[in-house]
Amino acid sequence: ILHAMKCPACRGTLITLEFNAVEIDHCGTCGGVWLDSGELESLLSREEGSDSLLATMRPGRGKEWKRRCPICSKGMKKTSIGNAAPVLVDRCVEHGLWFDRGELNKVFSAGCVDSHRGAGTSGLLALLDEVFAPETKDTP
């Protein structure tokens, strides 16, 4: 029996989408995204500069309550990704990363500053824009 994962932010049910052989778990209620350990690396692996982006991951601080891993239910640690405009995400060291609505897109945008984006990431960015975009596109 498969057990549906619950969203660490709103407790909604996560649905699984597949992109380039990577499973992306998405919450249709709050728009958050769960990536299992190694999936962010897989999605970024085809891009120039992706290693340097991953090297920017470091402990971060946030004022929001500690979210629980959808796999093991342990409290996740805040992790900062990026240098110029770091994105604060939730990380279970054993199982993966949680991105609130729009955060995954920000991470990919930060990692793909080259004008010659690879087909893999530009396709993923298009998918993220379509499926995981923030509710209001009017905000800058």
Side-chain angles (χ1 to χ4, degrees):
I1 297 174
L2 290 175
H3 177 60
M5 288 197 303
K6 293 292 182 188
C7 173
C10 74
R11 304 299 298 153
T13 300
L14 298 179
I15 58 168
T16 303
L17 305 170
E18 190 173 317
F19 183 85
N20 287 352
V22 174
E23 288 186 353
I24 298 170
D25 298 292
H26 173 258
C27 179
T29 305
C30 72
V33 177
W34 172 260
L35 293 177
D36 291 327
S37 292
E39 289 180 337
L40 179 62
E41 293 83 347
S42 294
L43 290 170
L44 287 171
S45 67
R46 298 176 186 90
E47 299 307 314
E48 296 281 331
S50 61
D51 291 339
S52 60
L53 178 67
L54 293 172
T56 67
M57 288 180 71
R58 61 193 175 279
R61 286 205 173 108
K63 294 185 180 185
E64 62 191 28
W65 50 278
K66 193 177 262 192
R67 300 219 165 111
R68 302 221 164 259
C69 171
I71 295 173
C72 69
S73 296
K74 290 181 183 172
M76 294 188 281
K77 298 186 183 315
K78 293 294 179 191
T79 300
S80 175
I81 303 175
N83 284 323
V87 179
L88 195 62
V89 301
D90 299 279
R91 180 178 185 218
C92 173
V93 178
E94 293 178 46
H95 298 110
L97 295 162
W98 173 256
F99 300 84
D100 287 325
R101 178 187 291 272
E103 289 177 343
L104 184 57
N105 206 341
K106 288 178 187 173
V107 169
F108 278 104
S109 297
C112 305
V113 292
D114 292 353
S115 58
H116 59 283
R117 288 184 181 166
T121 300
S122 60
L124 180 59
L125 285 173
L127 174 72
L128 292 174
D129 284 342
E130 189 175 316
V131 180
F132 305 135
E135 284 181 35
T136 56
K137 292 198 177 223
D138 300 336
T139 54

